Amino acid sequence: MRRPIDSLFGRLALLVVVVLLLSHFAGYVMFRLERNQFQSRYAVEEATFLVDAVRQHVATSPNQPLPSRVRLVDPASQNVPPPPQDSSSPLNRFVDDVRERMPPGTQVRLGDPGKPPELWVHEPADHSWIVVPVQPLRPPRSVDRMVLWLTIIISFAVMAALFAAWQLQQPLRSLAQAVARFGRGQPVPPVPERGPRELRQLTHGFNQMVQEVARTENDRAVMLAGVAHDLKTPLARLRLRAEMMDEVKVRDGVVRDVDSMTHIVEQFLVFAHDGADRSEAVEVDTQCERVVRSYRAVAAGAPGVLTDLKAGAGFLLPAATLDRILSNLLDNAHAYGAPPVVVATARTPSGFTLSVQDNGGGIAAQDLINASRPFVRLDPARGGNGHSGLGLAIVERLVRRAGGEWEIGNHGGRGLRVLMSFSFEAVPKAATMSESVW
């Protein structure tokens, strides 16, 4: 099951959203703290200024009336509030801050809690308590508009960041798709070089590598095709001359050797060919049954070939590709395996599978890695019977070119099994033509 968090875009998106949320939340908390501290400092400065202004007014103009909500109270009055008891509350910390701004010995108290906030100040030289109004430290707010603005800002920031992450992920996605095509042996067009400098350098290196590999493969294909093509004419003449021999045993032996050499040359041509297969897409189950039936009729002494075809009508492959895959695998099972040989298909949750299994001795574990390498024969003693070591290499190339994956191994101790898997996306549709003709 594919999880969004496993993709580069998913992880970039998660990282961006988390960082934006944390940064905005931290900024909001710091702003609230700074605002409260600023409000407290402003209230202290304002109260101190009012007290000094009242004191100067009394000293210079004692007969003039005081401003509203400012009054003088006799120290012997019973309305004087008591000293604060809890010094940990914000209001009492405010009282302590005001006291620090006054001369030593100044008494500072707060008015009654149920009334508008008032500050009572009495210096040692004052004849009366000076009562001034103070600004509420936390004025009531119906709606904190900052939360609304922060929500709008972070929403736009997240959308912009997700778009930037998507733009950064697109070149990597194109490169990953190109690497997957290259790994399956399919043609890879040049990947556009875009994105950050490091990504452009990586894409440029990949394009150069694909060009060099394609050039090397083309040179090798041209060389093999040229050699194989040039050998076909002398082999045909050699066979004609062998058939004109009078001695039957010598003639038959030479004809067999010429046929073996001709088969090897044909394998060279198939392996060297790198064209696209444009043959018609056919149902794999039906074609497998037809190939197996023909193989039983033509291959004299061939082991028993059984079928277990359960993929259904939706499993389609190019006819030429499928015929070459089956013929190479059946020839390999006939040459090295033991009966019965089972050709099976199945439908899985992710696609379709095609397998060919014999019941021989299989391949040693240390030789499995080299089984599909070209020109490698795991049994050198059988090199003279028309086998070039290209059969499994051709099968692997054909499977990857058709968009599939393959797996080779000994299946449950009952011989060699080649399992080919094709995703639903790689299988051609019934109404379309496939890609390769030889």
Side-chain angles (χ1 to χ4, degrees):
M1 179 180 178
R2 298 178 60 183
R3 296 180 299 173
I5 195 63
D6 285 339
S7 65
L8 176 64
F9 176 74
R11 297 193 178 190
L12 283 176
L14 179 62
L15 176 62
V16 166
V17 171
V18 170
V19 170
L20 285 175
L21 288 176
L22 289 178
S23 61
H24 280 74
F25 177 75
Y28 175 73
V29 172
M30 292 180 62
F31 179 82
R32 291 298 296 265
L33 292 176
E34 287 293 330
R35 187 179 66 176
N36 293 337
Q37 293 179 1
F38 174 79
Q39 187 180 24
S40 299
R41 289 194 298 268
Y42 179 79
V44 170
E45 294 293 335
E46 183 183 38
T48 305
F49 174 79
L50 286 176
V51 170
D52 291 339
V54 171
R55 187 175 291 115
Q56 292 178 6
H57 177 81
V58 171
T60 57
S61 305
N63 297 324
Q64 295 293 328
L66 295 173
S68 62
R69 297 188 60 191
V70 176
R71 65 185 188 275
L72 300 177
V73 179
D74 186 9
S77 173
Q78 295 181 354
N79 295 327
V80 177
Q85 301 296 326
D86 184 11
S87 59
S88 61
S89 65
L91 290 176
N92 290 332
R93 287 197 298 269
F94 167 73
V95 170
D96 294 337
D97 292 338
V98 173
R99 186 182 297 112
E100 291 177 357
R101 298 294 306 274
M102 298 295 177
T106 302
Q107 299 183 56
V108 181
R109 300 178 186 179
L110 289 173
D112 296 335
K115 298 180 180 180
E118 293 179 334
L119 188 69
W120 294 59
V121 180
H122 183 267
E123 290 186 7
D126 291 338
H127 300 288
S128 303
W129 285 89
I130 300 175
V131 182
V132 296
V134 294
Q135 177 183 350
L137 296 181
R138 292 188 179 180
R141 290 172 176 263
S142 58
V143 178
D144 194 348
R145 289 183 297 177
M146 180 172 290
V147 175
L148 177 61
W149 280 108
L150 280 177
T151 302
I152 297 175
I153 292 172
I154 197 172
S155 299
F156 279 102
V158 167
M159 288 189 291
L162 291 180
F163 177 75
W166 180 78
Q167 290 280 56
L168 180 63
Q169 177 254 359
Q170 283 300 105
L172 283 175
R173 182 182 179 86
S174 301
L175 183 59
Q177 292 174 346
V179 170
R181 290 179 58 88
F182 182 73
R184 292 194 297 265
Q186 297 176 336
V188 180
V191 181
E193 299 176 11
R194 52 181 179 172
R197 182 179 66 255
E198 294 81 3
L199 186 55
R200 294 198 304 271
Q201 292 175 349
L202 176 63
T203 306
H204 180 72
F206 174 77
N207 289 334
Q208 284 187 327
M209 180 189 70
V210 171
Q211 292 176 0
E212 291 297 326
V213 171
R215 187 179 298 112
T216 303
E217 287 289 329
N218 184 64
D219 293 343
R220 183 176 67 171
V222 170
M223 180 187 67
L224 288 177
V227 171
H229 184 271
D230 292 342
L231 285 175
K232 291 180 70 175
T233 301
L235 284 174
R237 290 198 302 264
L238 185 60
R239 180 184 176 88
L240 179 61
R241 291 174 182 175
E243 290 178 348
M244 298 174 63
M245 292 181 178
D246 296 332
E247 193 171 345
V248 177
K249 289 186 178 180
V250 176
R251 181 186 63 196
D252 293 342
V254 174
V255 169
R256 282 196 302 270
D257 290 341
V258 172
D259 289 341
S260 296
M261 295 175 65
T262 303
H263 178 71
I264 292 175
V265 169
E266 291 176 351
Q267 292 288 76
F268 278 0
L269 288 173
V270 172
F271 183 77
H273 199 284
D274 197 26
D277 185 359
R278 303 189 184 279
S279 59
E280 183 180 2
V282 296
E283 293 184 11
V284 174
D285 288 1
T286 304
Q287 190 71 5
C288 285
E289 189 65 47
R290 184 180 298 113
V291 171
V292 168
R293 188 166 52 249
S294 301
Y295 191 82
R296 290 173 185 154
V298 174
V305 183
L306 307 178
T307 57
D308 182 18
L309 308 175
K310 300 178 180 178
F315 189 13
L316 305 177
L317 284 178
T321 296
L322 180 58
D323 288 346
R324 281 193 164 84
I325 289 174
L326 291 175
S327 61
N328 277 281
L329 291 178
L330 290 174
D331 288 344
N332 188 78
H334 173 55
Y336 302 116
V341 178
V342 180
V343 179
T345 62
R347 182 187 180 99
T348 66
S350 57
F352 301 96
T353 61
L354 168 64
S355 65
V356 176
Q357 176 188 345
D358 62 59
N359 281 266
I363 298 178
Q366 63 271 18
D367 292 333
L368 283 174
I369 192 173
N370 295 322
S372 62
R373 295 182 60 184
F375 309 110
V376 173
R377 289 191 298 268
L378 302 181
D379 187 0
R382 298 177 177 178
N385 61 359
H387 293 274
S388 59
L390 285 174
L392 293 179
I394 291 174
V395 172
E396 180 183 16
R397 175 172 289 195
L398 292 174
V399 170
R400 293 189 181 277
R401 191 174 295 165
E405 299 290 338
W406 92 319
E407 178 184 349
I408 181 171
N410 300 314
H411 185 61
R414 299 193 303 273
L416 185 69
R417 184 183 74 162
V418 177
L419 176 65
M420 295 151 280
S421 303
F422 301 87
S423 64
F424 291 117
E425 293 79 8
V427 174
K429 305 303 179 184
T432 62
M433 304 296 289
S434 84
E435 269 182 40
S436 154
V437 141
W438 300 83

